């Protein structure tokens, strides 16, 4: 019997959305780019063009910033924190109800497996909205006792920082947008969101959802476009109060420079080259599982990816064997296939970049324990890869590859300071992982590592935990109280008594 498989309702909705005319959301209106230009959106699993979106530039950014500025003093500013919280919560409910549609859009645009998009990205987005909705009503200042014997009543209060530009990357397109959007809205800001040119679709779909949830016009604007045009215009704009950026360290540096024009506040979440350190007393099965997930999940396109493995000499072979076995068994394929564990990288450029790093490692004396090749000739698939015989001077050990490539190294010594020195020996300092059963070793390493996060025995990221980088991994923190306070200005009021 030949049973015809009907597309599921969410598959139809995602297909209809992607096929529909894509426009940008500016001041409550759906518009084309002022220039009339568009650019192509590609599915990295097939290399096929699936949509065309407006190529916004300075003129569109200017219109969006003006709309956001108007909205800042409009009905939005009259809402109480509780009303803002309710509106953000409503948005989370709407997103949850459409989670499968959004997940499929993410799969088709970014390449990630549908199940990962649904159970990872979408769940995270819904939770992030709810976590930050809770903060809207809890942004307090404090009463401060003056230090000198003057009669003063003094207190601080928090006000929204103003119009915020959100510039997000392509590795977690919706998640990165939501991680910035929800605290910004909870704090009472208005925003211009610029998604990455590789993955603009979920942000445009989010624009429709925001609109349906009743946010006043201009509170959320979505402008699609390239980094050097739309992104740069947003960063340069004299009427933007803050930029929240996640992406490369190189662009982070450009943003810092541009922000100097009007002293915009800047939050930068940049690259990483995070170490995972395995002590001989670790639970090795769990460490193998954790270290593998830490580098291969999301095809290694994760800012906090554990891309440098340091295992004690006595457990190195066992770790290498375990991770290599996993790497070779992971099912690489189209994210719409339910069996797929690892999708393609996001673009041809990224594939060439990752394969170029593997080549560079080889030429500097590393060898490939497993993987190292492109998979197939359609789409942008790269095999999960482990490099050995790597050392600290090599580019593959120093630079962010942003692909499924692990550099595996062993350490001889038992001196924690020397291990930490090796682990800290890059310009980055975003995250790190330590595996040991010894609580003293664990906490001593936590002190010695120069990174914004130390994950012990598989501890992970959570909306309540501040996340961000030391050194060239960034400025400021996202998530938690620090994450939302970053969308406020602190004002001090001093009353002579
Ligand atoms: P990118 O930093 O160029 O892109 C991130 C965002 O910045 C995009 O929205 C882009 O349009 C925007 N942008 C680019 N130039 C800009 C400018 N001059 N002004 C304002 N905005 C601008 O990253 P790209 O080129 O896509 O990826 C290159 C490498 O960057 C990756 O291989 C990876 O190493 C790193 N990266 C790190 C990420 C992270 O999560 N930390 C995310 C994405 C990339
Ligand atoms: Mg794409």
């Amino acid at each position: 019997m030949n049973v015809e498989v009907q597309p599921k309702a969410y598959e139809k909705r995602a297909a209809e959305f992607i096929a529909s005319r894509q426009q940008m959301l500016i001041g409550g209106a759906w518009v084309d780019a002022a220039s009339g230009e568009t650019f192509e959106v590609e599915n990295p699993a097939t290399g096929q063009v699936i949509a065309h979106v407006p190529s916004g530039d300075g003129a569109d950014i200017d219109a969006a910033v003006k709309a956001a500025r108007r909205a800042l003093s409009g009905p939005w500013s009259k809402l109480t924190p509780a009303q803002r919280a309710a509106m953000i919560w409503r948005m989370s409910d709407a997103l949850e109800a459409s989670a499968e549609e959004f997940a499929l859009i993410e799969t088709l645009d970014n390449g990630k497996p549908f199940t990962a998009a649904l159970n990872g990205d979408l769940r995270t987005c819904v939770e992030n909205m709810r976590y930050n909705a809770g903060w809207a009503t809890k942004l307090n200042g404090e009463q401060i006792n003056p230090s000198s014997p003057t009669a003063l009543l003094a207190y601080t209060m928090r006000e929204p920082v103003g119009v915020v530009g959100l510039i997000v990357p392509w590795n977690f397109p919706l998640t990165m947008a939501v991680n910035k959007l929800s605290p910004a809205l909870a704090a009472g800001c208005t925003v211009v969101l610029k998604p990455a040119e590789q993955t603009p679709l979920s942000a445009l779909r989010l624009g429709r959802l925001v609109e349906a949830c009743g946010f006043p016009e201009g509170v959320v604007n979505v402008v699609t476009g390239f980094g050097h045009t739309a992104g740069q215009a947003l960063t340069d704009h004299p009427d933007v109060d803050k930029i929240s950026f996640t992406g490369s360290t190189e662009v982070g540096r450009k943003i810092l420079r541009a922000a100097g024009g009007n002293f915009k506040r800047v939050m930068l979440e940049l690259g990483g080259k995070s170490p995972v350190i395995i002590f001989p007393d670790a639970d090795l099965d769990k460490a193998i599982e954790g270290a593998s997930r830490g580098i291969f999940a999301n095809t290694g396109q994760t800012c906090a990816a554990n891309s440098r493995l340091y295992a004690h000499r006595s457990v190195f072979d066992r770790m290498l064997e375990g991770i290599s076995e996993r790497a070779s068994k992971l099912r690489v394929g189209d994210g719409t296939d339910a069996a797929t564990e690892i999708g393609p990288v996001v673009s041809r450029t990224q594939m060439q970049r990752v394969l170029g790093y593997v080549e560079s490692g080889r030429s500097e004396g590393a060898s490939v324990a497993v993987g190292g090749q492109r998979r197939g000739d359609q789409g942008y698939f790269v095999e999960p890869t482990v490099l050995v015989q790597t050392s600290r001077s090599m580019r593959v050990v120093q630079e962010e590859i942003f692909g499924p490539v692990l550099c595996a190294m062993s350490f001889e010594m038992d001196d924690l300071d020397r291990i930490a020195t090796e682990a800290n020996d890059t310009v980055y300092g975003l995250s790190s992982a330590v595996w040991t059963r010894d609580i003293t070793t664990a906490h001593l390493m936590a002190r010695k590592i120069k990174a914004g996060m130390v994950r012990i025995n598989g501890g992970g990221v959570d909306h309540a935990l501040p996340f961000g980088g030391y050194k060239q991994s960034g400025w400021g923190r996202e998530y938690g109280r620090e994450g939302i306070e970053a969308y406020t200005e602190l004002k001090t009021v001093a009353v002579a008594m």
Side-chain angles (χ1 to χ4, degrees):
M1 198 169 67
N2 199 351
V3 183
E4 207 177 306
V5 182
Q6 293 293 327
K8 300 190 177 77
Y10 73 84
E11 292 173 338
K12 273 173 126 171
R13 281 197 295 274
E16 275 165 24
F17 168 74
I18 291 173
S20 71
R21 172 154 177 217
Q22 301 297 337
Q23 291 183 301
M24 306 185 291
L25 179 60
I26 298 180
W30 290 95
V31 297
D32 297 327
S35 67
E37 299 289 320
T38 62
F39 63 91
E40 292 178 344
V41 180
E42 215 184 27
N43 175 350
T46 61
Q48 306 282 308
V49 173
I50 54 173
H52 291 84
V53 305
S55 185
D57 62 20
D60 309 288
I61 288 289
D62 189 52
V65 171
K66 288 198 168 100
R69 178 61 59 190
R70 277 195 304 276
L72 194 64
S73 51
W76 180 239
S77 66
K78 313 290 182 299
L79 295 184
T80 63
Q83 286 171 318
R84 287 204 306 275
M87 206 169 257
I88 296 166
W89 197 282
R90 197 144 69 231
M91 178 167 71
S92 76
D93 285 342
L95 187 62
E96 192 170 48
S98 301
E100 289 170 313
E101 179 195 337
F102 271 89
L104 185 53
I105 291 169
E106 211 71 326
T107 295
L108 295 172
D109 197 355
N110 161 283
K112 65 181 68 200
F114 174 73
T115 44
L118 184 63
N119 302 325
D121 301 50
L122 266 297
R123 190 182 51 78
T124 304
C125 288
V126 170
E127 286 173 0
N128 187 277
M129 287 177 181
R130 290 177 183 166
Y131 174 79
N132 281 295
W135 270 117
T137 50
K138 296 163 195 73
L139 288 171
N140 297 319
E142 58 179 342
Q143 185 266 320
I144 299 173
N145 296 331
S147 65
S148 50
T150 35
L152 268 186
L153 166 67
Y155 60 92
T156 55
M157 57 191 202
R158 296 198 170 269
E159 296 181 345
V161 72
V163 173
V164 188
L166 312 178
I167 304 180
V168 300
W170 42 259
N171 54 338
F172 295 92
L174 187 69
T175 311
M176 296 290 162
V178 166
N179 285 352
K180 298 181 189 309
L181 181 69
S182 18
L185 294 177
C189 297
T190 59
V191 310
V192 177
L193 166 63
K194 197 212 77 71
E197 53 270 38
Q198 295 86 348
T199 55
L201 294 177
S202 56
L204 291 171
R205 179 64 186 83
L206 183 67
R208 296 193 192 182
L209 185 124
V210 163
E211 207 183 25
C213 290
F215 284 86
E217 64 179 43
V219 171
V220 178
N221 304 276
V222 184
V223 176
T224 48
F226 291 95
H228 64 276
T229 53
Q232 188 71 46
L234 188 54
T235 324
D236 284 336
H237 203 291
D239 205 27
V240 170
D241 298 299
K242 178 184 168 99
I243 294 283
S244 179
F245 171 78
T246 300
S248 63
T249 294
E250 187 195 342
V251 171
R253 205 167 273 122
K254 287 188 193 168
I255 287 177
L256 269 189
R257 256 183 245 125
N262 67 335
F263 289 96
K264 289 179 183 67
R265 281 73 184 111
V266 175
M267 203 296 303
L268 302 173
E269 208 265 81
L270 308 175
K273 192 74 189 175
S274 301
V276 46
I277 304 168
I278 318 292
F279 286 93
D281 66 342
D283 180 331
L284 293 183
D285 290 333
K286 286 192 180 146
I288 288 168
E289 161 73 29
S292 304
R293 206 169 344 100
I295 184 64
F296 300 131
N298 212 45
T299 323
Q301 303 167 124
T302 308
C303 50
N306 295 145
S307 49
R308 292 181 294 143
L309 172 79
Y310 294 98
H312 188 272
R313 171 174 44 81
S314 62
V315 295
F316 178 78
D317 289 346
R318 167 101 191 271
M319 285 298 299
L320 179 64
E321 201 180 303
I323 295 172
S324 299
E325 193 192 332
R326 273 165 189 273
S328 57
K329 282 192 181 147
L330 283 168
R331 283 175 300 234
V332 178
D334 189 318
T336 57
D337 180 342
T340 292
E341 293 166 293
I342 303 287
V345 295
V346 77
S347 63
R348 178 175 296 278
T349 306
Q350 197 61 19
M351 178 179 74
Q352 285 164 346
R353 190 184 154 91
V354 174
L355 294 173
Y357 269 113
V358 174
E359 244 349 276
S360 137
R362 275 205 188 95
S363 71
E364 288 190 287
S367 47
V368 176
V370 60
Q373 304 284 333
R374 180 178 184 185
R375 185 73 66 81
D377 53 10
Q378 195 207 10
Y380 312 126
F381 298 94
V382 178
E383 291 174 342
T385 300
V386 180
L387 299 180
V388 290
Q389 272 124 39
T390 50
S391 60
R392 62 206 292 176
S393 63
M394 293 180 185
R395 284 182 57 216
V396 285
V397 176
Q398 292 297 329
E399 297 176 19
E400 180 173 60
I401 298 177
F402 226 62
V405 182
L406 179 69
C407 293
M409 288 159 285
S410 67
F411 57 88
E412 301 276 337
M413 58 279 190
D414 296 308
D415 173 358
L416 299 189
D417 283 313
R418 286 176 58 197
I419 298 165
T421 300
E422 181 105 5
N424 290 334
D425 185 29
T426 75
V427 297
Y428 297 112
L430 188 58
S431 187
S432 60
V434 173
W435 292 82
T436 176
R437 286 185 170 107
D438 185 301
I439 55 167
T440 306
T441 303
H443 293 293
L444 283 175
M445 286 306 290
R447 292 182 183 192
K448 292 174 194 296
I449 289 174
K450 300 270 180 284
M453 181 148 206
V454 182
R455 303 164 156 197
I456 295 169
N457 295 335
V461 176
D462 181 276
H463 306 291
L465 306 181
F467 180 78
Y470 278 38
K471 300 193 277 182
Q472 296 187 31
S473 286
W475 267 19
R477 295 291 179 269
E478 293 196 284
Y479 307 150
R481 177 195 289 272
E482 288 76 7
I484 183 155
E485 285 184 350
Y487 290 94
T488 66
E489 286 284 2
L490 194 65
K491 180 179 281 178
T492 302
V493 180
V495 188
M497 296 296 277

